[in-house]
Amino acid sequence: SDLEDLVLSTVVLHELASRGPTFVTDWPVERAALARLRPGRDADGCLSAARFELFAGGLELCNGYHELGDPDEQAARIDASNEARRSLGKPPYPVDDEFLDALRRGLPDCSGNALGLDRLQMLLTENRDIGDVRAFRVAAPEVLR
């Protein structure tokens, strides 16, 4: 995961900055805890996450995925993610039991997309500092204590 972050931030994003808007699809399985898995479109057909991100001007503008609908698989992924966090000395994330209950009751097949309006404004104004396009500044965590 750390190596993927490094390659994404130093190689892939640099390359994408010189292109027009580009969708990155077929994400590694480990990168999509809430997404369905499907055979990848590569020749090897390895599983990939049904997830995408849109990049433009070197910025991630939005991301989306096809929601995993299997409550048992979702619970297993949450447990595996929290176990990985514990092994790194990080606190586990709380389990959203209401979400898992909704899946058990038959949450309809769904997908979603999240567009960062602040990032879109950065792109349109050619601003590289997200703090300059936000409507208000958020205090640093140490200030909030």
Side-chain angles (χ1 to χ4, degrees), residues 53-71:
E53 290 188 8
L54 171 62
F55 292 88
L59 296 171
E60 175 198 332
L61 294 181
C62 67
N63 66 72
Y65 57 90
H66 190 165
E67 187 84 42
L68 173 64
D70 181 330

Side-chain angles (χ1 to χ4, degrees), residues 81-100:
S81 175
N82 277 334
E83 188 55 41
R85 289 183 60 79
R86 282 186 201 95
S87 72
L88 296 171
K90 297 179 180 180
Y93 289 122
V95 176
D96 187 343
D97 290 320
E98 290 180 13
F99 172 63
L100 292 174

Side-chain angles (χ1 to χ4, degrees), residues 15 25-28 36-37 45-46 50 82-83 86 100 103-104 116-117 123 135 141 144-145:
E15 175 65 26
T25 63
D26 294 314
W27 284 81
R36 290 186 183 205
L37 302 182
C46 288
N82 277 334
E83 188 55 41
R86 282 186 201 95
L100 292 174
L103 289 176
R104 287 184 187 96
L117 293 179
L123 180 68
L144 298 175
R145 289 181 198 190

Side-chain angles (χ1 to χ4, degrees), residues 95-139:
V95 176
D96 187 343
D97 290 320
E98 290 180 13
F99 172 63
L100 292 174
D101 287 342
L103 289 176
R104 287 184 187 96
R105 289 191 304 273
L107 184 69
D109 191 32
C110 57
S111 61
N113 177 25
L115 170 66
L117 293 179
D118 48 2
R119 292 168 183 253
L120 181 59
Q121 187 173 356
M122 284 176 67
L123 180 68
L124 295 174
T125 61
E126 297 180 357
N127 199 316
R128 303 311 295 173
D129 185 348
I130 199 166
D132 291 342
V133 299
R134 290 200 171 152
F136 56 90
R137 294 233 182 238
V138 178

Side-chain angles (χ1 to χ4, degrees), residues 17 20 24 30 36 40 42 49 72 93 95 135:
V24 177
E30 305 79 22
R36 290 186 183 205
D42 294 342
D72 296 328
Y93 289 122
V95 176

